[in-house]
Amino acid sequence: MTVAERNVILLGPPGAGKGTHAERLVEDYGLVHLSTGNILREAEAAGTELGKQAKAYMDAGELVPDELVIGIVRDRLAEADTKQRGVLLDGFPRTIAQAQALAEVIAQLELTGLLVINLSVSDEVLIRRLSGRRMCDNCDAIFNLDRDGVDVGDDCSECEGGKLYQRSDDKPETVAERLRTYYEQTAPLIGHYTERGLLTDIDGNADADAVYERVIASLT
Ligand code: AMP
C-alpha cells in the first residue's frame, strides 16, 4: 500500500506541528487535507451560520460541539477524491465521540488503511511555538516568528496577495485553556488508538525537518 492509499490522522496538542506536517504531506503525497480548524476559521471569516456558532468556542479555547464538526468531516469524506487520493485528517478527531463517528463513516464509505500519528511535544515547546505562530490569511500557510523571521503584516511567501496574521486563539490567555482542553478531551485518544493497534508515537520536539523525516518513516 502506498502513502496515497492511506488515511492518516495527525494527533497531538495545539502547536505540535500537525498543520505544518499536514501541508508537507499533502504536497508530497497528494492526500486530501481535511483541517477542521481551517474550515471553521474560513466559515468564521465568511460570516456563515457555522462560523458564527463556532466563534465563541474557538475564542474561548474550547472545542466546538461534536455534532458540528462531525457533520463537516462526514460531508468532506463523502466526496469522490478521498477514496482515490487518501485523506489527511488534521485536528480531527478531538474527542472519543468524534473518533467513534469517524470509524462509522470510514466503514460506510469503505475507506481503508487508517493510521494515526501522534506527535508528542512538551508544554514548554508548545507554548513557545504557539506564541510565535503566524498564518497566511489567504492560503493558511503556517510560519513561525523564530524559525522564519516573519511577523504580522508581512507578505506570504507561499501565495500571491496573502498577509500574515496571528490567530486570536494563539494569544497567551487562550493558549493555556486550549492545552487544558487538549489534556482533558483529546489526549484520551492516544489510548483509544493504541488499543486498536493503529497508533505510532513520534517525538515532535525537534525542528520541523527532523520531525517530518520521522513522520515519513512511519508511513512507508
Ligand atoms: P486548530 O486549528 O486545529 O487548532 O483548531 C482551532 C479551534 O477550532 C480549536 O481550538 C477548536 O475550538 C476548533 N476545532 C477544530 N477542530 C475541532 C474538532 N475536531 N472538534 C472540536 N473543535 C474543533
Side-chain angles (χ1 to χ4, degrees), residues 172-193:
E173 52 282 16
T174 318
V175 163
E177 185 56 26
R178 286 167 67 206
L179 287 177
R180 207 187 58 74
T181 302
Y182 166 78
Y183 286 113
E184 198 178 289
Q185 300 190 59
T186 307
L189 290 174
I190 297 172
H192 176 88
Y193 284 121

Side-chain angles (χ1 to χ4, degrees), residues 14-21 23-24 121 124-136 140-158 163-167 170 175 178 204-209:
K18 299 186 295 296
T20 299
H21 297 301
E23 279 176 8
R24 292 175 77 161
V121 180
E124 195 192 331
V125 172
L126 294 174
I127 290 165
R128 198 169 57 235
R129 282 187 193 160
L130 289 169
S131 68
R133 174 158 66 183
R134 302 291 180 263
M135 265 182 97
C136 173
D140 295 328
I142 300 166
F143 300 87
N144 194 281
L145 196 81
D146 302 325
R147 187 188 59 204
D148 305 311
V150 294
D151 209 344
V152 170
D154 288 354
D155 291 333
C156 176
S157 55
E158 299 288 320
K163 291 269 184 215
L164 306 194
Y165 74 103
Q166 182 177 30
R167 278 173 49 173
D170 279 347
V175 163
R178 286 167 67 206
N205 286 291
D207 67 69
D209 288 345

